[in-house]
Amino acid sequence: MLKITDLHVSVEDKEILKGLSLDIPAGQVHAIMGPNGAGKSTLGYALSGRDGYEITAGSIELDGQDLLELEPHERAAEGLFLGLQYPVEIPGVSNMNFLRTAMNSIRKYKGEEDISAGDFLKLIRAKAKDLGMDAEMLKRSVNVGFSGGEKKRNEMVQMAVLDPRMMVLDETDSGLDIDALKVVSDGINAMRGADKATLLITHYQRLLDYVKPDVVHVLAGGTIVKSGGPELALALEKDGYAAIAA
Amino acid sequence: MTQAYLDSIKAVQPSLPGNQFPWLANVRQAAAARFAATGFPGRKDEAFKYADLKALEKTPFVAKPVAPASVGDLPWIDIPGARLAFVDGQFRADLSSDLSDYAKPLSAALADDEQAIKAQLDASSDGSALAQLNLAMASDGLVLRVPENADAGTIQVLFLSSGATAKAAAHISSVIHLESGAKATLIERSLGVGSEDYWANAVSTIRLERGAALTHNCWQSDSNVAMATGLTRVSVDGEAQYNRFTLSTGAASARSEIRVHVEGSDADVQLSGVQLGRARQVLDTVTYLRHDIGHSTSNQTYRSVVDDNARTAFSGKVYVERDAQKTDAQQSSRNLLLARTAEADTKPELEIYADDVQCAHGATVGELDKKALFYLASRGVSPEEARAILVQAFVADVIEGIDIEPVRDAYLKATQNWLMAQL
């Protein structure tokens, strides 16, 4: 589903990713692990097309479509979702309004009609309930005054409502207590399916106890240095990145 | 250029309403003399530092407008109450409806009881050259007089400029007096329909006696070639409330000045406004809030959004007299620049002689939050829509403070339309 080939990314003229290749077939969950500064977050931003992340070489394809030709909102409309490590607060814009605008933008891109107010309300309430988010929070400004766990939960609600096919989750587990981690994991697992794929970007093995990956990759020095099964994550946890990446 | 205006005063004065009353003819002549003595204010005049009035001097706006017989459907807000329409500075009974005993055009009020408004017009001699010109040649306006403890309900007023005659001027003078305990809601909008440039110059003199309450919502939506200047003077007695919101979206150059004197304790003054500027517009708001007596509150909340080569300004002065202890005066001015070529000026000023007061001001100028823009994009929202949603959020907290739903909706819609026109 997602095919990354020899990707080179520079930020402020400094090369961060130096020829990263990755192939994630539909139906699979891959995890990318790596030490701080390995380029994990850069990968997420480069995939979503954020300003300032310059692709100097390589390609990114989503089901054969060249993502590099698309703007960030077009990539999202094509079914790419980036869960942020630090979800942004937007004062004055309610979660409802945010998601409804997003949903209708995506529909417009696909040439579909806007979702009716009633259908939208039903959908968002159901998804919030599944993920244990209080319906009152939907009326509040996006992430304003939310705890770290609530922000991540909100990311999961957004993901569930927008129903992407390719999910890239950047450190979604960071800063979560064990209960919040379970909620988030349930959210990710609920989105697994034969026509979907997930890329978990994480520093710790902990999340992988709850979301079983099919393949684990180790990112170091801007490239994938090792790939393997879930046991690779356990080895990393035990021996540290230095031993594996060496 | 001053001479052209003086000639025009001379020409129109005999036809002005109430000119048969010697006191009023005197008031007008004295105003003309004050204008002749000062001429137009310049940039060196602190209160006019940010305004752009060059056009008024370059070629005089003295043409007599010829109002077309039909101006199409007027954009009334769907809300019950009296509706008064003025076209090119003249009251139009045919376009007005549900007139109330309390609200009349100046022309009719002078004919009915000229003494009743004498005191307020007599006392209107202060103010800039713009106010003097207005006093000397105002052709009509709203007179709203609400007796003790009466509730005048909602009065909606439209000031329309036909834009059919180039360099036409409409000077509107409104006199509002709420007696003790009286209440009223006044909703004003100025707008232009034609393509010619014009000058709309409005002065309102408002007196709120003890315990009176006036809610005053104004929308300046003049045509994009117009000059729109306004002055509102308000005297607020004890326990009275003045709640004012101004939306400014129109005109090539607009200046709105609000001067409030708090003359009693336990009064409450709320001033707020939103300016939306684009192209080469210059939108200027000047407020002056004077607390003479203590134990009163005032709150000012202004937001500006500026795009292209437009310029907005807010200058807000709060003056607290020595005896006005326990005054609570707050002021906030926040400004959002949508382009590097846009400019927003904000100038808070506090002059306080009392030592036991709560006075604070905050001013910010910034751009749209790039992180928020990316966040919205990453969820599929197009850049145009992302910008619109963030700008709306920026002004929403002020507009949502309006508690009359149809008015609030109309202003939110106006904001939306402004944003859509940008796309």
Side-chain angles (χ1 to χ4, degrees), chain A residues 48 50 73 76 81-82 84 90 93 98 101-102 105 143 155 158, chain B residues 371-372 374-383 385 389-390 393:
Chain A
S48 66
R50 187 173 189 165
H73 69 284
F81 181 91
L82 174 68
L84 296 186
I90 312 183
V93 179
F98 177 83
T101 307
S105 283
N143 293 324
E155 294 285 280
Q158 291 173 16
Chain B
K371 282 187 193 152
F374 170 71
Y375 194 41
L376 282 153
S378 75
R379 298 298 176 257
V381 180
S382 68
E385 274 181 290
I389 204 172
L390 293 180

